[in-house]
Amino acid sequence: MDILYCKACAAEALRAGPDWPADAPDAEYFFVHGDGVVTVGADRQDGPVIGTPSDRWLGYCRDTLGMPVPDVDGLSPQEQSR
């Protein structure tokens, strides 16, 4: 199942997170997708910065950035309750 949710986030907030790559491009903001993948553009193919998010990164997205990160089945808690 493809996760279509993504959120533009200020680079400063993302750089503060765990596992942010030191060689990430210099940008003002990045796009964080529903599964924790981070890209330069809104499309998932637009320059992945974090292509395989760690559990620490997913926790940061959920707890600090307030993003609904889906569980292993690919559905967010909101979608599971429908």
Side-chain angles (χ1 to χ4, degrees), residues 5-9 13-14 32-34 57-70 76-78:
Y5 175 89
C6 80
K7 176 180 181 178
C9 292
L14 298 176
V32 182
H33 297 265
W57 179 256
L58 294 174
Y60 180 77
C61 290
R62 181 188 61 241
D63 300 337
T64 303
L65 302 178
M67 295 187 63
V69 177
S76 70
Q78 295 86 354

Side-chain angles (χ1 to χ4, degrees), residues 1 6 10-11 14-15 17 22 26 28-29 32 36 39 42 45-47 50 52-53 55-57 69 77 79:
M1 169 182 199
C6 80
L14 298 176
R15 286 186 187 106
D26 186 28
E28 195 171 325
Y29 60 91
V32 182
T39 57
Q45 305 306 314
D46 290 341
I50 294 180
T52 305
D55 288 340
R56 290 174 3 128
W57 179 256
V69 177
E79 291 171 318

Side-chain angles (χ1 to χ4, degrees), residues 2-8 29-35 37-50:
D2 289 332
I3 306 299
L4 301 178
Y5 175 89
C6 80
K7 176 180 181 178
Y29 60 91
F30 294 93
F31 292 86
V32 182
H33 297 265
D35 57 359
V37 167
V38 180
T39 57
V40 175
D43 189 295
R44 290 180 63 84
Q45 305 306 314
D46 290 341
V49 177
I50 294 180

